[in-house]
Amino acid sequence: MASTTDSTARVRKRTLDKDLDKLVHVEEATSLVARGLVAPGLGLLFLALAAVFASVYVIGEPRAIIIIAASAIGAYMALNIGANDVANNVGPAVGAKALTLTGALVIAAIFETAGALIAGGDVVSTISKGIIAPDSVASPDIFIRAMMAALISSALWVNLATWIGAPVSTTHSVVGGVMGAGIAAAGFSTVHWPTMAQIAASWVVSPVMGGLIAALFLAFVKTAIIYQDDKITAARRWVPLLIAIMAGAFTAYLATKGLKKVVSIDNGAIAALGIGAFALVWVLARIHVRRESEGMENRNQSLRRLFKLPLVISAALLSFAHGANDVANAVGPLAAIVFTAEAGAVTTTVTIPLWVMVIGAFGISLGLVLFGPKLIRMVGEQITKLNPMRAFCVALSAAITVIIASGLGLPISSTHTAVGAVFGVGFFREWYTARSKRRRAYLERKGLKVKNVRAAGSPAGSKIGPFHVLFENEENGAAGISGEEIVRRKLVRRAHVRTIVAAWITTVPAAAALAGGIFLFLDAFG
């Protein structure tokens, strides 16, 4: 009898254990699902709070409901800008391990908000830089519906691009939305096509200039520092100069893209500020680099330490300038809707109320924290392998490209420039590693001989492609890794290039098509 009782108890215990295990698994699954819903939940909460925040300022206005709804949509656009566009500023620093992902999110959120609130500007064009003729949408009701459609379509497109992992220009998204809504409202003749041609040109100008400048700086770093026998002496000579160039470029960049909205600065003053920053930082950087390089080993890993602090500073400055410049993408159409709804008339320029700017600034920062890590990893880690020196070239290229393009009057996209610089660094590395005579000579001086190998699966007699190189030590045999492994680790990932370029090309037409359909829907039920 006792044996039967014990057996029954053991069976019950096993059954209870199985049931408890099932409950644990259910709890773990529920927790996992819940974690995935936290970010969307907080995003929806922010939209609701933005609507409530706006209602405080528009109570009693004749179109208060429209303004409140537009505020929620503007907050949605700001979230998407933070999720997508900010990755270009901090992604390279994260990919180079100069910043942790958490550190990058904190720095970017602080400086994006500061840039938007301090230097975000108080006047924007309601027709988004002359894309459509103001007199073609002179009716306040039609204009409000057009701006609402532009805001919704651009936000949806940027959201989709973030979901597929493609950094796109939010400026181009807004431009496409305004163009599509304008065409739906008043026909093709309302669009200022020369302006649209300039914007289309920026699809090519921005990434090509960014890529070329980044590649040139990386070529200089490799030639003047990395493949020198005495790397530390070369670094003491050239790294302070590179840091000073960065300081001068960023000073001019911030003056051009941000501070002009706070104080009136002409081009001469901007140049003087840049030169002054260059001279001051060059002196300070020489002291800093000499102190940091004391006792360093003569190896590339040591050199990377010298670029980490400048790279962190560049990420912060890029975030500040982005907040100052691109907050208008979120709040420009919203400000136009607010002004038109309150005044009952359409005008070419409006003053952005502070409460509208606050929604845009905090929305960008929140979107970055909640949804930004995906694109940060894409830009910093998945397109090509970055280290502090390569990422430094990307950041420096972004600032210099904007300055050169502004001086020449060329259209530019900060997103296309930064991502194009990453492409440029990656493709240059492919070419340089496979074909540089200086690199080959340096390795041979170090006792390595270069042996070309054919990629796996390629036919006999085929040409050697990039990275199909194996380095062997004269004494110890194979000292490197296989050509296939180098390809896997170091080549620019063509799948990402194709996805990003396709997204760039389709941004304006896709946003325009969405805006046109949304406008027709709003007009039908307006």
Side-chain angles (χ1 to χ4, degrees):
M1 179 66 70
S3 176
T4 303
T5 303
D6 291 341
S7 177
T8 303
R10 285 195 296 270
V11 170
R12 288 176 178 175
K13 185 177 183 302
R14 286 198 297 270
T15 303
L16 178 61
D17 288 342
K18 290 179 181 179
D19 291 340
L20 288 175
D21 285 341
K22 291 177 181 178
L23 288 175
V24 169
H25 290 317
V26 170
E27 184 178 349
E28 289 176 350
T30 304
S31 177
L32 183 64
V33 172
R35 283 200 299 271
L37 295 176
V38 169
L42 290 175
L44 289 173
L45 178 61
F46 175 71
L47 302 191
L49 291 175
V52 173
F53 185 61
S55 67
V56 174
Y57 293 90
V58 298
I59 290 295
E61 295 291 339
R63 294 183 174 90
I65 297 298
I66 293 175
I67 296 174
I68 293 171
S71 299
I73 298 169
Y76 173 54
M77 179 62 178
L79 287 175
N80 283 292
I81 291 175
N84 190 291
D85 222 15
V86 183
N88 309 312
N89 306 324
V90 298
V94 173
K97 305 296 189 293
L99 278 172
T100 64
L101 181 59
T102 301
L105 292 174
V106 171
I107 287 176
I110 292 172
F111 281 88
E112 285 279 342
T113 303
L117 294 179
I118 295 172
D122 58 356
V123 177
V124 295
S125 168
T126 61
I127 313 296
S128 192
K129 303 176 183 178
I131 301 301
I132 60 176
D135 55 0
S136 65
V137 284
S139 167
D141 291 333
I142 292 177
F143 178 78
I144 288 173
R145 286 195 284 272
M147 289 298 104
M148 190 83 79
L151 201 54
I152 296 171
S153 66
S154 54
L156 288 173
W157 174 251
V158 176
N159 196 340
L160 176 61
T162 303
W163 181 69
I164 65 174
V168 297
S169 171
T170 52
T171 301
H172 288 179
S173 300
V174 172
V175 166
V178 172
M179 182 186 76
I183 291 173
F188 284 90
S189 61
T190 190
V191 178
H192 191 252
W193 293 108
T195 301
M196 291 305 304
Q198 286 186 334
I199 293 168
S202 73
W203 297 341
V204 178
V205 172
S206 300
V208 169
M209 285 186 66
L212 286 176
I213 292 173
L216 287 173
F217 274 107
L218 185 58
F220 176 81
V221 169
K222 284 181 175 293
T223 302
I225 303 175
I226 293 176
Y227 290 121
Q228 293 293 314
D229 293 331
D230 190 346
K231 302 175 191 294
I232 303 304
T233 299
R236 288 174 177 172
R237 180 186 302 118
W238 295 116
V239 172
L241 178 64
L242 291 171
I243 294 174
I245 292 173
M246 183 194 77
F250 270 107
T251 300
Y253 178 86
L254 289 172
T256 301
K257 303 298 286 184
L259 297 182
K260 266 191 171 182
K261 300 174 182 178
V262 179
V263 294
S264 178
I265 305 177
D266 58 24
N267 291 334
I270 291 174
L273 286 171
I275 294 171
F278 170 87
L280 175 63
V281 172
W282 182 67
V283 174
L284 297 175
R286 291 189 66 185
I287 300 171
H288 171 75
V289 170
R290 179 164 291 276
R291 182 182 299 142
E292 287 290 311
S293 62
E294 290 293 338
M296 275 188 173
E297 295 183 40
N298 189 38
R299 53 200 295 261
N300 289 347
Q301 190 66 36
S302 301
L303 298 177
R304 295 173 184 177
R305 286 168 47 193
L306 300 177
F307 286 90
K308 282 191 175 182
L309 179 59
L311 189 54
V312 172
I313 295 172
S314 71
L317 294 178
L318 279 172
S319 296
F320 182 91
H322 179 270
N325 190 59
D326 277 25
V327 68
N329 292 328
V331 303
L334 172 58
I337 293 170
V338 172
F339 182 87
T340 305
E342 291 178 345
V346 179
T347 183
T348 56
T349 58
V350 299
T351 299
I352 301 180
L354 179 60
W355 67 266
V356 172
M357 191 67 75
V358 167
I359 289 176
F362 284 97
I364 289 175
S365 297
L366 183 62
L368 166 69
V369 172
L370 295 180
F371 308 106
K374 179 177 182 179
L375 265 294
I376 289 175
R377 293 190 183 97
M378 162 67 74
V379 174
E381 300 174 357
Q382 297 177 15
I383 295 175
T384 192
K385 189 176 180 180
L386 294 175
N387 61 26
M389 291 171 282
R390 298 168 199 151
F392 179 88
C393 294
V394 170
L396 186 55
S397 172
I400 291 178
T401 301
V402 171
I403 295 167
I404 293 175
S406 298
L408 297 176
L410 298 174
I412 206 75
S413 164
S414 59
T415 300
H416 292 195
T417 300
V419 177
V422 175
F423 289 162
V425 163
F427 285 122
F428 172 78
R429 289 174 58 224
E430 292 186 5
W431 176 87
Y432 193 88
T433 301
R435 298 175 178 87
S436 172
K437 293 180 181 179
R438 181 180 293 273
R439 180 176 184 273
R440 181 184 292 260
Y442 170 81
L443 291 168
E444 289 175 350
R445 289 200 305 273
K446 294 296 182 182
L448 298 173
K449 68 177 183 178
V450 182
K451 178 184 176 183
N452 294 328
V453 297
R454 193 170 63 252
S458 60
S462 63
K463 292 184 178 180
I464 297 169
F467 293 106
H468 299 154
V469 178
L470 178 68
F471 302 113
E472 291 185 351
N473 186 280
E474 296 278 0
E475 299 177 358
N476 301 324
I481 57 178
S482 69
E484 291 76 11
E485 175 66 8
I486 296 175
V487 169
R488 186 187 71 79
R489 288 174 55 188
K490 294 186 177 179
L491 282 175
V492 178
R493 295 184 65 178
R494 267 49 174 186
H496 291 322
V497 175
R498 289 192 293 269
T499 299
I500 292 170
V501 171
W504 286 353
I505 293 172
T506 56
T507 289
V508 170
L514 276 172
I518 292 169
F519 174 83
L520 294 175
F521 176 82
L522 294 176
D523 196 49
F525 294 94

